[in-house]
Amino acid sequence: MARLIVLGGGVAGHTTATFAAKWLGSEHEVVVVTPNAKWNWIPSNIWVGVGQMTKEEVTFDLAPVYAKAGISYYQAKAVSLNPEGSESSDKPFVTIEYTSTDKAGQSENIEYDYIVNATGPKLNFGATPGLGEGSELGEHTVSVCTADHAVHASEKLAEAIEKMKGGTRQKFLIGTGHGMCTCQGAAFEYIFNIENEIRKAGVRDMADMKWISNESFLGDFGMGGLHMKVGGYVVSSKLFAESLYAERNIEWLIGAHVSKVETGKIEYELLDGSTGEEEFDFSMLIPPFAGVGLKAYDKTGTDITDTVFAPNGFMKVDANYAAGAYENWKASDWPRTYQNPTYKNMFAAGIAFAPPHLISKPMKSPNGTPINPTPPRTGMPSGIIGKAVAHSVCDLMTKGENAHLHEASMAEMGAACVASAGKGVFTGTAAAMTVYPVVPDFEKYPGTGRDTDYTFGEIGLAGHWIKHILHFLFIYKAKLNPGWTLIPE
Amino acid sequence: MSNEVKHVKEEVNFQKNEQFTLTMMPGAFAKKLRTCLIFQFIRFVIINIKMIIVVGKSH
C-alpha cells in the first residue's frame, strides 16, 4: 500500500484528494492535511459580504465528507517537506502542526510515497503596511477572502448603510491592496454587489464609490484583458468594464500600488510614479498572495527551500522559469504536468504552483515599484489541474513510475467566470464570461491570443442564474453527493 | 424652438466624470434586455452551451 498526501483542502486539493480516493479505492491510502475544519465555496463569499448569504450557506464540515470517501484527514498545517527522508530513513515525509483544538500546536511527521502541494495562497496582508500583519487582516479595511472575513465585512457594510440612512455620506473604496495582487475579479464582484445593495436600500445618492487596482487598464483581470465579439465588433474587455463602472457611477483609479493603509485613508503610488492619498469610510482591499511558507530540507537537514520553491513561496513545477523578457514569453512556458522537476513524486496544484511569469504585461513605476496583476489560478483552472494531477499520481501508484503523466496546461484550458453584479432572482445581474485559453497563445491565435468563438462576456440575469446554480452545484459536488463525478470542474 | 430639457436617464452619467465621457453606456433597450425573462432564458441556454463546450475543450 502506498500513501498519497494532499496538502490543502481547497478547490485544487479537495478535487485531487477525492478523485484519487475514488480511483485508488482501498488499495492505497489518501491523506489530506489542511488547517481548516470547513470547506468554503469562496466565490459565494461575495454574497456573505453583503449580507445576502450566511457563513453556513457557503461552508460545510470536511471531516464527515472525508470519512465517507475513506480519506485520512489531519486538521493541521504543513510546516516542512523532507523529500529525501532523514539520515535514518530514505522515506520522504512532511512535518505538520495540528490546528484542531484538541491537538493545537503539536507536531508530527507523516511519511509519503507521493505528495501534492495544494496549499493555496498565504493571504499576505502584511505586504502592505497597515493592511494587516502577516496573514492576518488589519483593523482598517475588510476582506471577503474567507467566510469569516466576509461576515465581518457584511457587518461593517450594514453599519455604513445605517449611517447613510441617517444622513452621513460614505465613501467606498474597493479593489486591490498592493501592486502585485491577483483576484481582481473578487473585488470587482464585491464593489458591484455593494452598489446593488445600497441602491436597494435607497441610499445610493449618499455613497461615493471608487475602484482602486493594480491593473494597467480596467478589465485586465490578471489575464492581460480579453477580446470578445459584441455587436459585430471584436472589442477589448477594457470597454466592457469601463462601461459597467460608468453606468453604475463608480470612479476608478488604476495602475495603483497601495503603499500604506491607515484609519480612513490609504497612500498609493501610480504607474507614472506619482503618489497620492485616498480617503474612505468603508474599504475592502484584496491582499497579495504568497506561498504559505513551506520549508524543504534534504537528507542531511540542509535547507533546500530554494530548490523546491520559487522566491514567492510557490512550488516549482515543469514550467519554463527562464523565459526572460515579455517579448520572449510563450504559451509553452506554462506547466503541463505540475510535477516538481527535482523530486518526481511531488506535484503542485492550483494556486500553489509557481507560474513561469505574469500573463499581463509587466509594468513598473519610474521608482521601480512593480505594479501589475499576478496570474489568476483559482476556480475552474484549479479544479482541472487538481483532477489531472490526481490522474497522474494514481497512474504512477498503480502502473509504476514510468506511467504517462496527464496534462492540463493553462495555455490550452478555458475558464468560465461568472462575476456577480447584484443578487436577486428576477433583478440580479452577473457578467458571465469565458476565456479560451486562459493564457493567451499568440502563435495559435494571432491578434487576440484567444479563440474569440469561445471567449465572450455579457451582463444579465442569465449570468446571475448561472452563478446561483454553480453555488449549489459545486457544494453538492464537494460534499460527494450521488453523481458528483458527473459535475465538471 | 422649445427650451424643454431632454433628460435621458441612461446618458446623464457621461457628464458625472471625465473618465465616463470616453466610454460607452447601455441605452434603455439594452438595460431592459438584461432582466427580460424571455430573452434571458434564451441567453441562459446559449451561455450554458458555450460554457459546456469550453469545459469540454479544457479537459
Side-chain angles (χ1 to χ4, degrees):
Chain A
M1 175 183 271
R3 177 184 288 155
L4 162 65
I5 295 182
V6 179
L7 304 178
V11 171
H14 195 70
T15 304
T16 305
T18 51
F19 274 103
K22 176 180 168 55
W23 292 330
L24 292 170
S26 55
E27 297 281 305
H28 302 282
E29 185 185 9
V30 177
V31 173
V32 170
V33 175
T34 176
N36 304 314
K38 289 180 182 290
W39 194 82
N40 177 203
W41 177 239
I42 292 170
S44 293
N45 285 356
I46 299 300
W47 289 336
V48 177
V50 293
Q52 287 292 322
M53 273 193 178
T54 64
K55 178 185 170 184
E56 289 68 33
E57 287 177 282
V58 300
T59 58
F60 63 81
D61 288 332
L62 280 170
V65 175
Y66 286 148
K68 180 166 68 174
I71 293 170
S72 305
Y73 164 51
Y74 292 75
Q75 193 188 333
K77 63 177 180 181
V79 178
S80 61
L81 297 168
N82 284 64
E84 299 172 7
S86 63
E87 288 183 329
S88 58
S89 168
D90 290 337
K91 194 81 175 172
F93 65 89
V94 57
T95 301
I96 65 167
E97 186 180 302
Y98 285 92
T99 56
S100 55
T101 47
D102 57 332
K103 290 184 175 178
Q106 293 180 33
S107 292
E108 187 177 335
N109 294 338
I110 313 177
E111 294 181 342
Y112 64 82
D113 295 285
Y114 290 90
I115 194 161
V116 177
N117 176 16
T119 43
K122 168 188 171 186
L123 302 173
N124 198 12
F125 290 103
T128 303
L131 190 62
E133 287 291 328
S135 59
E136 297 298 316
L137 172 66
E139 58 184 325
H140 308 304
T141 61
V142 299
S143 154
V144 288
C145 293
T146 71
D148 286 326
H149 286 174
V151 170
H152 172 246
S154 162
E155 291 164 358
K156 290 292 181 187
L157 176 62
E159 288 173 17
I161 289 173
E162 282 310 307
K163 283 180 186 169
M164 289 189 286
K165 284 180 175 172
T168 308
R169 288 194 77 79
Q170 295 286 285
K171 167 81 176 282
F172 292 82
L173 183 68
I174 313 293
T176 55
H178 190 273
M180 296 287 282
C181 285
T182 183
C183 236
Q184 288 77 16
F188 172 95
E189 287 189 87
Y190 196 51
I191 196 167
F192 287 109
N193 270 272
I194 287 180
E195 200 274 342
N196 190 55
E197 290 306 313
I198 59 180
R199 202 156 18 96
K200 282 198 300 189
V203 288
R204 180 62 183 91
D205 58 335
M206 294 296 289
D208 300 309
M209 302 194 71
K210 194 159 198 170
W211 169 260
I212 182 166
S213 109
N214 56 346
E215 300 161 289
S216 64
F217 61 91
L218 272 186
D220 179 290
F221 296 124
M223 300 184 294
L226 53 120
H227 289 81
M228 53 196 142
K229 291 176 181 169
V230 181
Y233 288 80
V234 177
V235 300
S236 164
S237 51
K238 177 178 186 286
L239 208 56
F240 184 80
E242 286 183 350
S243 171
L244 189 58
Y245 282 75
E247 179 197 335
R248 300 284 187 96
N249 195 14
I250 298 171
E251 296 175 33
W252 59 83
L253 187 62
I254 49 173
H257 162 68
V258 175
S259 54
K260 191 175 180 185
V261 182
E262 297 173 7
T263 305
K265 189 177 81 175
I266 60 139
E267 294 178 11
Y268 62 80
E269 177 184 349
L270 299 181
L271 272 169
D272 64 8
S274 63
T275 57
E277 294 179 354
E278 195 72 37
E279 293 186 344
F280 64 84
D281 297 296
F282 177 101
S283 178
M284 196 291 290
L285 298 175
I286 297 277
F289 291 172
V292 295
L294 269 172
K295 293 289 203 180
Y297 301 99
D298 72 6
K299 202 171 175 58
T300 62
T302 305
D303 192 324
I304 53 166
T305 305
D306 291 350
T307 306
V308 178
F309 296 96
N312 56 13
F314 297 119
M315 185 180 267
K316 291 178 186 172
V317 292
D318 61 322
N320 175 19
Y321 294 109
Y326 175 70
E327 292 71 29
N328 301 327
W329 293 1
K330 289 182 177 173
S332 55
D333 297 336
W334 285 76
R336 304 185 70 82
T337 67
Y338 304 89
Q339 187 180 43
N340 182 265
T342 311
Y343 299 102
K344 303 296 182 188
N345 61 345
M346 202 184 269
F347 291 78
I351 296 171
F353 84 82
H357 43 66
L358 306 177
I359 301 176
S360 304
K361 191 171 185 178
M363 296 200 181
K364 274 185 185 174
S365 75
N367 310 317
T369 308
I371 305 176
N372 36 228
T374 48
R377 283 100 75 204
T378 51
M380 190 170 151
S382 275
I384 293 172
I385 293 167
K387 190 174 180 181
V389 167
H391 232 134
S392 295
V393 174
C394 290
D395 283 354
L396 290 168
M397 291 170 82
T398 55
K399 297 175 183 171
E401 59 185 31
N402 294 320
H404 170 72
L405 297 181
H406 293 256
E407 299 179 350
S409 168
M410 282 176 61
E412 294 167 10
M413 159 196 320
C417 173
V418 188
S420 172
K423 194 169 180 289
V425 178
F426 299 114
T427 57
T429 50
M433 290 182 279
T434 66
V435 284
Y436 185 85
V438 177
V439 175
D441 184 342
F442 289 98
E443 289 175 352
K444 191 169 180 183
Y445 308 104
T448 70
R450 297 195 175 92
D451 186 339
T452 48
D453 285 337
Y454 301 106
T455 301
F456 70 95
E458 65 180 70
I459 299 171
L461 185 55
H464 172 72
W465 290 338
I466 292 169
K467 180 152 176 104
H468 216 112
I469 289 169
L470 291 179
H471 166 86
F472 293 108
L473 209 58
F474 282 112
I475 289 179
Y476 180 91
K477 176 184 169 117
K479 286 181 174 177
L480 310 184
N481 285 321
W484 67 274
T485 56
L486 301 174
I487 300 168
E489 285 64 49
Chain B
M1 191 173 166
S2 168
N3 288 328
E4 193 179 331
V5 176
K6 188 180 177 186
H7 184 274
V8 181
K9 190 179 152 192
E10 289 74 26
E11 294 173 9
V12 293
N13 276 12
F14 279 118
Q15 205 183 351
K16 287 186 178 174
N17 187 301
E18 272 188 33
Q19 292 176 319
F20 299 170
T21 312
L22 299 176
T23 189
M24 61 180 186
M25 215 97 67
F29 182 68
K31 287 178 85 168
K32 189 73 187 166
L33 282 181
R34 287 185 190 168
T35 50
C36 168
L37 286 180
I38 296 169
F39 180 73
Q40 287 300 316
F41 180 75
I42 295 165
R43 296 308 303 164
F44 176 79
V45 173
I46 292 170
I47 294 169
N48 269 293
I49 291 169
K50 282 190 169 186
M51 284 186 170
I52 288 166
I53 292 171
V54 169
V55 169
K57 286 166 74 76
S58 304
H59 277 71

